């Protein structure tokens, strides 16, 4: 008896029946050199439609008017997802600015007052009080919903790839994510709010079209549309793209992000809907932010949460250009350096994540709170001391600020706007270190991009190093945290430092420092996340300068190639640490040495087209599979089966080691029936095992079944299996008729869809497609079903509800073809059927992971 699928990791085989390679993959053994983190069971989303009788009835009832209404509702939902995602971004941005301004205003006033009185320790305590309080609140939200930690991009990437991550798209996750990142950013941690916006948009996309919530049970409306993984996953793609668009004001970049970073299935219609959703989010956020900040409703001046400003050379420097061909050589070198820095960042963060998984997460939740507070404490002290001690007083020249949106007001009282910090500096000067550290991150990015000669090399070096180390330490703690803005700040400081060195020591006096800051930001961010197409378009849309397309693209490509030489991107690393079976775009060429028969799971748990309730309940209770082949025993092929037919002999070839025979399967089911809570069913099972029915009754029933249920012969064989069965009897070929899902079987049992053995299957109640999908996405569990209401001798006809034409492959199909079919079509189960229509195995996502294929390839080399 074997895994047939819904769970990605096969959980039904015995440990003794696994090869050493498989045990290593599953985390059940540990190598001495490097500990292998345990893999978890993740369910796959089912993007393929179940072509059953209820579904075909729905198709037959669809007319032009109904199809138009369905498509109109879909477009309305896409628009609503974009609008709601924009409003979530507006909410987060508004309160981040509110809390940050209040905090900096209070602390700045205290610093200015204590400068004369010598009480700077009091100012530090005030800043610690704000930051520790905000960080503590942010951590509490993660304790409520642990999946809200981090940026959420790895989880959404997995979801778009076809893996169902528990709780990742729940309404509670959205609430905890939005509130947590709000307080995390306000608490002075080196995190950004742009990454969590992608997760927030995905949650909106998953939940809004459902009109119900698992977290809040009272939110439930009778909305019959979009009740499948296929529709939900499309809306999640749109929501994730809307999150990118709202964060960066980049609707095209958001569309490409959703395509590049996850979605395995894509078509033209989905592209248009995702782009429309991204546009809706961008303009919703732009409309409200512009109206609130400038009191100019309808002006559309702030397209995203992160604004890079306008890149423009000073009017006084006629020889200045944004970039030249000569600069491309420096950009390539910066890309190499950015890739090396990104690889180092990812390596350090991976080690930190492993340490947390071993030493922090298993301990009480209070330890996670202390870790977050410790990082907040260290960050606050470093920022405060560096600003007070290491900052240099730079001359304030109005000409230096003419090209930035941060206007400087120089009056008789020498007042400057809030972005300039004058801590411990005389008149007409300012503290460059404090100007970077004591401002919101968006203001620091604008200063690094658009100021000219205003930061010393010491300040830039220290700022870059601190953001590198502290953001690496912070990413992964129990706080909602994005990585885009810290990476941009670290890279911008690095690029600005390169520009200063070129101007001071190599005589490139006419280069534009803002361009080098942008390229440095792109190089480091590309070295960390390893995104190419979408990140290029995002940065171009954020800068609103199309001429930057070529240098940004070249820099990102070089950074990715350099980083990939050492390790994976940060999101792929965290996906790998979670044990999620993410499928890449394609397999390696050497994998074509394997066939479908080499990687399939041959031990099958199956059901017959007409099966008694007691058998179905036993199967559902003793297995964790999410789909079962519907088969009949092909007795006519028994002789050919034993003659060594290559296609059919797969039934035996992969069952040589410790296997569960059919006799063992039946015995396991029988033992399970004895624990059935229904005394009536338990007594019937005992009676069925202890006694034999009269031969006359058995023959009559067999004749009735054979006469009634064509074209499915031998639907309910009454011969009990025995350990004395021959090999021929034990592995009798199974003719494949379709797949039935666990959720469908449980729904049939809950709704009492069955018939008596002295009746025809035509008397069985019929369920519509809407009734079958009514409980989506949380179908009832077999352990929650009141079994006392079920008559165990009743028979369930599963043929109207099974998928009669699922995708399937031949045992001789190359692995690359299997992989492309599985990933492109978004499958959950892929039956392996031989030339005569007999199922010999099944393939799930677990069988196509890189680790599993590598183990099978090594095994292939050993046996060949």
């Amino acid at each position: 008896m074997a895994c047939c699928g819904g769970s990605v990791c096969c959980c039904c085989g015995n440990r003794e029946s696994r090869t050493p390679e498989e045990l290593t993959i599953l985390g059940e053994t540990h190598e001495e050199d490097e500990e292998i983190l345990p893999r978890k069971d993740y369910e796959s989303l089912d993007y393929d439609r179940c072509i059953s009788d209820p579904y075909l009835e729905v198709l037959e009832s669809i007319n032009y008017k109904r199809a138009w209404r369905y498509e109109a509702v879909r477009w309305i939902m896409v628009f609503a997802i974009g609008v709601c995602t924009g409003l979530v971004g507006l909410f987060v941005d508004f309160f981040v600015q509110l809390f940050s301004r209040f905090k900096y205003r209070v602390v700045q006033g205290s610093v200015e007052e204590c400068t004369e009185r010598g009480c700077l320790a009091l100012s530090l305590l005030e800043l610690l009080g704000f930051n520790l309080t905000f960080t503590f609140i942010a951590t509490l939200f993660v304790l409520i919903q642990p999946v809200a930690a981090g940026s959420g991009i790895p989880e959404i990437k997995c979801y778009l790839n076809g893996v169902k991550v528990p709780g990742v798209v729940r309404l509670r996750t959205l609430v905890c994510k939005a509130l947590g990142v709000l307080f995390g950013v306000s608490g002075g941690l080196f995190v950004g709010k742009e990454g969590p916006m992608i997760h927030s948009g995905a949650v909106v996309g998953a939940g809004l079209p459902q009109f119900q919530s698992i977290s809040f049970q009272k939110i439930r409306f009778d909305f019959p549309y979009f009740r499948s993984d296929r529709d939900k996953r499309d809306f999640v793609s749109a929501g994730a793209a809307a999150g990118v668009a709202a964060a960066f004001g980049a609707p095209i970049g958001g569309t490409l992000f959703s395509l590049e970073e996850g979605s395995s299935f894509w078509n033209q219609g989905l592209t248009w809907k995702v782009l429309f959703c991204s546009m809706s989010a961008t303009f919703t956020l732009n409309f409200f932010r512009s109206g609130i900040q400038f009191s100019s409703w309808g002006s559309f001046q702030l397209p995203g949460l992160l604004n890079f400003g306008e890149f423009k050379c000073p009017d006084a420097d006629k020889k200045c250009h944004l970039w030249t061909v000569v600069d491309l050589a420096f950009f390539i070198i910066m890309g190499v350096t950015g890739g090396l820095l990104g690889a180092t960042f990812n390596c350090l963060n991976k080690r930190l994540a492993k340490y947390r998984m071993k030493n922090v997460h298993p301990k009480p939740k209070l330890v996670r709170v202390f870790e977050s507070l410790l990082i907040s404490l260290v960050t606050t002290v470093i920022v405060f001391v560096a600003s007070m001690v290491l900052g240099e007083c730079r001359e304030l020249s109005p000409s230096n600020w003419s090209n930035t949106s941060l206007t400087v007001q120089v009056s008789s009282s020498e007042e400057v706007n809030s972005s300039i910090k004058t801590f411990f500096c005389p008149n007409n000067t300012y503290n460059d270190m404090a100007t970077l550290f004591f401002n919101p991150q968006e203001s620091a990015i604008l200063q690094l991009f658009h100021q000219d000669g205003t930061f010393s090399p010491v300040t830039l070096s220290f700022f870059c190093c601190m953001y590198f180390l502290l953001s690496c330490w912070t990413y992964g703690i129990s706080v909602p945290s994005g990585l885009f803005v810290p990476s941009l700040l670290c890279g911008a400081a690095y690029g600005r430092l390169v520009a200063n060195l070129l101007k001071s020591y190599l005589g490139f006096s006419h280069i534009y420092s803002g361009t080098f800051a942008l390229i440095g930001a792109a190089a480091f961010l590309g070295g960390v996340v390893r995104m190419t197409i979408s990140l290029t378009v995002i940065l171009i849309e954020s800068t609103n300068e199309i001429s930057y397309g070529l240098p940004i693209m070249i820099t990102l490509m070089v950074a990715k190639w350099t980083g990939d030489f050492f390790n994976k991107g940060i999101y792929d690393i965290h996906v790998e640490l979670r044990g999620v079976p993410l499928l890449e775009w394609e397999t390696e060429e050497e994998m074509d040495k394997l066939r479908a028969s080499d990687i399939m799971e041959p031990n099958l748990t199956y059901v017959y087209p007409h099966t008694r309730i007691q058998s179905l309940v036993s199967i559902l209770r003793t297995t964790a599979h999410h789909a079962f082949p519907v088969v009949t025993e092909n007795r006519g092929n028994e002789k050919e089966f034993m003659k060594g037919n290559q296609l059919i002999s797969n039934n035996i070839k992969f069952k040589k080691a410790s296997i569960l025979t059919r006799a063992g399967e039946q015995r396991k089911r029988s033992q399970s029936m004895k624990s059935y809570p229904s005394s009536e069913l338990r007594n019937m099972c005992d009676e069925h095992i202890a006694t034999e029915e009269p031969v006359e009754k058995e023959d009559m029933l067999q004749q009735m079944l054979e006469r009634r249920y064509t074209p499915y012969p031998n639907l309910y064989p009454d011969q009990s299996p025995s350990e004395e069965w021959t090999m021929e009897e034990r592995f009798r070929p199974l003719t494949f008729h379709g797949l039935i899902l666990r959720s469908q079987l449980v729904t049939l049992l809950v709704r009492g869809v069955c018939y008596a053995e002295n009746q025809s299957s035509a008397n069985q109640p019929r369920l519509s497609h809407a009734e079958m999908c009514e409980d989506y996405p949380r179908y009832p569990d077999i352990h929650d079903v009141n079994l006392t209401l079920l008559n165990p001798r009743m028979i369930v006809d599963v043929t109207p509800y099974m998928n009669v034409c699922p995708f399937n492959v031949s045992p001789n199909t190359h692995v690359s073809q299997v992989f492309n079919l599985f990933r492109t079509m978004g499958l959950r189960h892929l039956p392996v059927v031989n030339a005569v229509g007999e199922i010999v195995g099944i393939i799930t996502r677990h069988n196509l992971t890189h680790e599993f294929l590598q183990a099978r390839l090594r095994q292939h080399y050993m046996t060949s």
Side-chain angles (χ1 to χ4, degrees):
M1 185 169 69
C3 181
C4 176
S7 94
V8 174
C9 293
C10 198
C11 56
C12 53
N14 292 337
R15 180 184 176 97
E16 291 77 7
S17 64
R18 301 260 180 215
T19 64
E21 292 85 356
E22 292 179 79
L23 294 175
T24 301
I25 292 171
L26 296 174
E28 299 178 17
T29 62
H30 299 282
E31 297 180 0
E32 296 180 0
D33 298 336
E34 182 180 358
E35 182 177 356
I36 304 299
L37 297 175
R39 298 179 65 91
K40 300 179 180 178
D41 289 341
Y42 285 93
E43 297 179 15
S44 295
L45 296 170
D46 202 346
Y47 206 73
D48 186 27
R49 291 190 177 96
C50 179
I51 310 298
S52 59
D53 288 354
Y55 179 77
L56 294 177
E57 292 172 359
V58 172
L59 292 183
E60 292 175 358
S61 64
I62 292 179
N63 52 32
Y64 175 79
K65 183 177 180 180
R66 184 174 180 182
W68 182 89
R69 183 171 66 246
Y70 185 85
E71 189 67 13
V73 173
R74 184 182 293 272
W75 279 98
I76 292 173
M77 287 294 102
V78 167
F79 175 75
I81 291 170
V83 172
C84 292
T85 302
L87 293 177
V88 171
L90 177 69
F91 170 81
V92 173
D93 180 71
F94 177 82
F95 282 99
V96 166
Q97 290 191 20
L98 181 66
F99 292 157
S100 297
R101 288 174 181 173
F102 176 74
K103 179 184 71 173
Y104 287 127
R105 184 168 60 248
V106 172
V107 175
Q108 182 175 349
S110 176
V111 170
E112 293 175 352
E113 181 180 349
C114 289
T115 300
E116 301 176 356
R117 298 170 51 186
C119 57
L120 287 177
L122 180 61
S123 301
L124 176 59
L125 290 177
E126 290 181 355
L127 184 60
L128 281 172
F130 279 113
N131 288 348
L132 291 177
T133 301
F134 289 152
T135 302
F136 177 74
I137 297 174
T139 308
L140 290 183
F141 285 112
V142 173
L143 296 183
I144 296 174
Q145 187 71 357
V147 76
S151 66
I153 295 179
E155 290 81 3
I156 297 305
K157 184 175 180 178
C158 295
Y159 193 95
L160 295 180
N161 191 259
V163 182
K164 185 182 297 184
V165 182
V168 71
V169 290
R170 288 190 179 180
L171 180 59
R172 180 187 300 174
T173 304
L174 173 63
V175 174
C176 294
K177 194 81 173 186
L179 295 176
V181 73
L182 186 159
F183 286 103
V185 175
S186 302
L189 293 174
F190 286 179
V191 299
K193 57 180 180 289
E194 285 70 23
M197 273 302 303
I198 301 172
H199 189 182
S200 301
V203 178
V204 173
L208 188 61
Q210 301 296 318
F211 282 93
Q212 63 178 354
S213 171
I214 302 299
S215 303
F216 303 93
Q217 298 291 341
K218 293 184 179 180
I219 303 179
R220 188 178 183 89
F221 299 92
D222 186 15
F223 191 70
Y225 300 99
F226 318 126
R227 314 296 292 172
S228 68
D229 285 345
R230 185 186 187 91
D231 293 322
K232 190 173 184 178
R233 192 162 147 203
D234 286 348
F235 286 125
V236 170
S237 299
V244 176
F248 298 98
I252 301 176
T255 304
L256 292 176
F257 170 86
S258 190
L259 171 62
E260 179 184 6
E261 285 301 304
S263 299
S264 57
F265 182 84
W266 204 265
N267 57 35
Q268 185 178 3
L270 182 59
T271 303
W272 182 233
K273 293 181 179 67
V274 170
L275 180 60
F276 179 67
C277 184
S278 301
M279 288 288 185
S280 304
T282 300
F283 284 98
T284 298
L285 182 63
N286 198 343
F287 175 80
F288 285 102
R289 286 193 72 206
S290 301
I292 294 174
Q293 188 161 339
F294 299 109
S295 299
S296 178
W297 297 93
S299 59
F300 298 103
Q301 302 178 45
L302 298 173
L305 298 179
L306 185 61
N307 181 24
F308 287 173
E310 181 183 2
F311 287 80
K312 183 180 179 182
C313 286
D315 296 333
D317 192 352
K318 301 300 181 181
K319 296 183 180 181
C320 175
H321 300 280
L322 291 181
W323 66 278
T324 63
V325 176
V326 178
D327 296 334
L328 285 177
F330 297 113
F331 297 160
I332 293 175
I333 297 175
M334 293 175 65
V336 173
T337 307
L340 294 175
L341 291 174
T344 305
F345 183 97
N346 294 351
C347 179
L348 294 176
N349 189 262
K350 181 179 180 179
R351 293 182 178 273
L352 283 171
K354 283 187 174 182
Y355 177 83
R356 290 189 177 107
M357 295 176 69
K358 291 172 55 179
N359 301 287
V360 177
H361 294 172
K363 295 183 179 179
K365 295 181 179 180
L366 194 61
V367 177
R368 304 187 192 183
V369 178
F370 286 152
E371 182 193 21
S372 301
L373 295 179
L374 174 62
I375 294 177
S376 177
L377 174 66
V378 173
T379 303
T380 303
V381 171
I382 290 177
V383 167
F384 189 88
V385 173
S387 301
M388 301 301 120
V389 177
L390 301 180
E392 295 186 15
C393 294
R394 313 288 290 182
E395 182 179 357
L396 180 64
S397 175
S399 62
N400 291 338
W401 300 81
S402 59
N403 297 306
T404 174
S405 59
L406 300 175
T407 59
V408 180
Q409 303 172 353
V410 182
S411 62
S412 58
S413 60
E414 304 291 340
E415 292 181 355
V416 295
N417 68 358
S418 58
S419 64
I420 306 301
K421 308 302 178 184
T422 60
F423 299 159
F424 308 108
C425 292
N427 294 336
N428 295 327
T429 60
Y430 66 96
N431 188 320
D432 61 348
M433 186 77 75
T435 300
L436 289 177
F437 275 129
F438 265 79
N439 269 313
Q441 295 174 338
E442 290 78 6
S443 299
I445 288 178
L446 286 174
Q447 292 160 0
L448 290 170
F449 282 172
H450 299 292
Q451 307 311 326
D452 187 18
T454 55
F455 302 104
S456 68
V458 175
T459 297
L460 292 174
S461 301
F462 183 82
F463 183 83
C464 179
C465 292
M466 287 301 100
Y467 254 90
F468 181 92
L469 296 175
L470 291 178
S471 60
C472 181
W473 189 17
T474 304
Y475 187 74
I477 64 173
S478 297
V479 170
S481 56
L483 200 57
F484 275 92
V485 171
S487 299
L488 288 173
L489 277 169
C490 181
Y494 152 67
R496 191 58 182 268
L497 178 62
V498 171
N500 287 2
L501 295 177
L502 290 176
K503 284 184 176 182
S504 301
Y505 299 102
L506 298 180
F508 292 88
S509 57
H510 298 292
I511 63 174
Y512 182 50
S513 300
T515 298
F516 278 80
L518 175 65
I519 296 301
F524 183 73
L525 182 58
V528 172
V529 301
R530 313 288 166 79
M531 294 161 52
T532 52
I533 303 174
S534 57
L535 188 55
T536 299
V537 177
I538 288 172
L539 293 178
I540 292 175
E541 289 185 281
S542 299
T543 58
N544 203 23
E545 182 59 59
I546 191 63
S547 64
Y548 280 139
L550 180 61
I552 290 177
M553 183 176 64
I554 292 177
T555 303
L556 288 175
M557 290 173 59
V558 173
K560 174 179 171 56
W561 292 339
T562 304
D564 286 343
F565 184 78
F566 298 97
N567 51 33
K568 295 182 179 180
I570 187 68
Y571 301 134
D572 293 322
I573 286 175
H574 280 265
V575 168
E576 191 177 77
L577 291 177
R578 287 173 172 83
V580 180
L582 193 74
L583 299 184
E584 302 295 337
W585 284 101
E586 57 186 10
T587 60
E588 300 174 0
E589 292 184 2
E590 63 176 349
M591 294 302 173
D592 268 344
K593 297 177 181 178
L594 299 175
R595 305 295 178 95
S597 58
D598 296 319
I599 65 172
M600 69 181 185
E601 183 64 52
N603 300 315
L604 301 175
T605 299
Y606 50 86
V607 298
Y608 298 114
H610 297 254
T611 308
R612 293 193 189 277
I613 286 181
Q614 68 179 39
S615 181
L616 287 181
V617 172
S618 177
I619 293 173
L620 293 173
R621 292 186 62 194
T622 57
T623 65
H625 316 324
H626 287 262
F628 305 91
V630 181
V631 302
T632 55
E633 293 182 355
N634 191 355
R635 299 173 185 264
N637 283 346
E638 290 179 6
K639 296 181 179 180
E640 292 294 329
F641 171 73
M642 294 305 296
K643 289 181 180 179
N645 185 303
Q646 181 62 33
L647 294 178
I648 303 176
S649 63
N650 285 289
N651 282 320
I652 296 180
K653 180 179 179 181
F654 300 98
K655 297 185 178 184
K656 294 180 179 178
S658 183
I659 59 174
L660 291 174
T661 65
R662 291 191 191 176
E665 176 186 341
Q666 294 295 338
R667 184 172 59 252
K668 183 177 181 182
R669 295 183 188 179
S670 177
Q671 292 173 352
S672 172
M673 286 296 97
K674 294 183 178 181
S675 61
Y676 203 109
S678 170
S679 58
E680 176 188 6
L681 178 58
R682 184 167 57 250
N683 294 335
M684 286 188 177
C685 291
D686 293 340
E687 180 182 356
H688 180 72
I689 297 173
T691 63
E692 296 183 359
E693 296 182 353
V695 177
E696 295 79 4
K697 183 177 181 180
E698 178 180 347
D699 293 341
M700 182 176 63
L701 177 60
Q702 186 67 24
Q703 293 174 6
M704 291 173 57
L705 291 173
E706 292 179 350
R707 181 173 63 252
R708 185 186 304 130
Y709 304 127
T710 57
Y712 300 107
N714 301 321
L715 300 179
Y716 193 83
D718 291 329
Q719 182 182 6
S720 300
S722 171
E723 289 290 354
E724 286 73 27
W725 271 13
T726 65
M727 182 68 71
E728 177 180 351
E729 295 172 322
R730 191 172 296 170
F731 299 122
R732 183 174 292 128
L734 303 173
T735 300
F736 179 68
H737 297 290
L739 277 179
I740 185 78
L741 301 178
R742 167 182 285 269
S743 59
Q744 295 173 324
L745 290 177
V746 176
T747 300
L748 295 178
L749 292 177
V750 170
R751 295 182 177 270
V753 179
C754 57
Y755 66 96
E757 59 184 358
N758 59 354
Q759 296 177 337
S760 169
S761 61
N763 295 328
Q764 176 175 278
R766 297 295 297 269
L767 296 183
S768 65
H769 185 263
E771 291 174 323
M772 292 293 294
C773 301
E774 182 178 351
D775 295 321
Y776 178 86
R778 294 291 181 272
Y779 291 101
D781 187 82
I782 185 62
H783 299 285
D784 299 330
V785 177
N786 187 1
L787 301 180
T788 59
L789 302 179
L790 301 177
N791 184 347
R793 303 298 295 176
M794 300 288 282
I795 301 174
V796 178
D797 179 10
V798 302
T799 56
Y801 307 100
M802 68 182 182
N803 187 358
V804 296
C805 51
F807 289 97
N808 60 80
V809 294
S810 164
N812 291 326
T813 307
H814 289 280
V815 163
S816 61
Q817 296 173 297
V818 175
F819 187 92
N820 292 335
L821 176 64
F822 193 97
R823 191 188 193 282
T824 304
M825 302 311 299
L827 304 182
R828 190 173 185 176
H829 318 91
L830 184 60
V832 182
V833 182
N834 62 22
V836 293
E838 296 165 352
I839 186 169
V840 295
I842 200 159
I843 295 174
T844 63
R845 177 176 290 264
H846 159 71
N847 304 104
L848 294 173
T849 58
H850 178 74
E851 297 86 352
F852 187 88
L853 293 179
Q854 287 285 355
R856 289 299 189 186
L857 187 61
R858 290 193 297 267
Q859 192 176 36
H860 173 77
Y861 285 142
M862 293 172 59
T863 56
S864 61

